[in-house]
Amino acid sequence: MTETRVRFAPSPTGFFHIGSARTALFNWLYARHTGGKFILRIEDTDKERNTEEALQVLIDGMKWLGINWDEGPLVEGPCGPYFQSQRSNIYREWLTKLETAGRTYEKDGAIWFRLEGERSVVYDDYLKKEVEKVAAAPVVIEDAIRGRVERAEDRDFVIFRASGDPVFHFVNVVDDITMGITHVIRGEDHLSNTSKHVELFRAFGADVPTFAHMPLILKEVGQGKMSKRDQGALVEDYQKQHYLSEAVRNYLCLLGWSPKDDREILPIDEIIDLFDLPGITQTNARFDGKKMAFINSHYVRAMPIESFTWLAKPILVEADLIPEDYDEDRLQSILALCQEKVRGLGELAQFARYFFKDDFATDEKALNKVTKKGDPAARLDEAAQALEQLSKFDAESIETAIAAAAEVSGNKPGAYMPLMRVALSGTNVGPSFYPMLEIMGQGCVVDRLRQFRATLS
Ligand code: GLU
């Protein structure tokens, strides 16, 4: 059996859209599933738009997602160069093959591909002029996802522009042939090009690869395909928001594919194992930012505390919450508390601020809620007093001290906790209460309780 060779063939635009990332990912999954090769080919024939930076965005995004390529830029391989802009000689050579076979002609300075079939001149209502039509035999595509698709080309088409530049259809097919591509897995928007491509493969006398056209990714709300302007459409958005790349990758795997059970969180090795082309859905996949965030929070909570700390530290340093040389053990204890509650690293700096700074914001709603009932001033005085006296300031002693204070005042510990939490952290949600106080430390806790008490008349 021949080795599976698939490719991701982006045109660098300066953005790495999640639709492109999904295309790259599905090709990569298929290569890994079959033990074949995954090739990165840069379709950079549009000279204006293709810059060094645009390429870097793409390479960074793929590396971040862990989609490694076996042949392509930086890696090289037997079928290079892997940039279309560096393959002009190859395209000229392959044009000669078509010329020799009598399948080209020149018109208006451009080089056209001649279809085989009966020719006739008909009046085109749309163009309002007479055009030559070709009754070519329909092309049958046994698409690995969409099933049988039939489509006939009825006009010859340009393969080299008057400028001398080859056209997308031509270079795409020549590269797929010369790179030995066995499966073309790409977006459904290319299905309309496929009959042209098949005609070219045949004219070259080459084997036609298996096509697999993936469903579109629809925008989260409203109609239509997700575009680069839509919220959450770019891989770099997730990088900037400190999403975990494994989580983003896991989510992208579900855009048009599923493991046939209800699972949404799967290790990548298992996805590679289960992944196959017939498993890709025909129905369009709607982007769901909430699901992405949910999957991310799962990965955040499941990661070892050492890794979480390693990722979190630079974020906290960047936000000016801690210095570079902050005590590692203390940092890890704080982060262990945050990890169980925070939904993503993107909200960590805001979430954890009160552990490091006194100038945290206070949530008005939470404040009203805890101060409008009972006698908050009295409860705060009692709590501060009870905690001040502790000689050992650990979670257990704190809990016991608050319980004792509650007993004396004839209240439940519940009359203290939410109130104290708002006083200490400005919010009524957060990590486990007593461990939080322990790590904050006696001085900080007592001071904050007293300061907060002073704000109540
Ligand atoms: N450069 C094309 C694109 O970005 C590649 C199409 C293909 O995969 O054949 O859409």
Side-chain angles (χ1 to χ4, degrees), residues 7 9-11 41 43 168 172 176 184-186 190 197:
R7 85 302 194 273
S11 307
R41 175 172 86 222
E43 302 212 327
F168 161 71
N172 188 264
D176 283 344
V184 172
I185 307 167
R186 60 185 175 190
H190 283 290
H197 296 183

Side-chain angles (χ1 to χ4, degrees), residues 42 77 81 86 145 154 216 222 231 292 340 366 388 399 415 440-441:
I42 307 299
Q86 296 167 20
I145 298 167
D154 63 0
L216 301 177
Q231 169 109 29
M292 171 93 95
E340 58 181 58
E388 199 170 36
E399 185 169 1
M440 281 179 162

Side-chain angles (χ1 to χ4, degrees), residues 8 54 65 74 101 122 127 131 155-156 166 187 223-224 245 247 261 266 269 304 314 373 380 399 413 428 438 455:
F8 171 49
L65 287 169
L74 308 172
V122 296
L127 295 174
V131 293
R155 305 246 178 114
D156 295 342
Q223 301 278 308
S245 58
D261 48 35
L266 291 94
D269 288 342
K373 56 174 187 240
L380 287 163
E399 185 169 1
N428 54 358
E438 177 181 332
T455 65

Side-chain angles (χ1 to χ4, degrees), residues 360-382:
F360 52 87
T362 295
D363 180 63
E364 282 300 318
K365 254 205 193 141
L367 179 70
N368 289 336
K369 203 168 159 194
V370 296
T371 51
K372 78 167 188 252
K373 56 174 187 240
D375 186 351
R379 300 293 87 76
L380 287 163
D381 283 337
E382 291 152 16

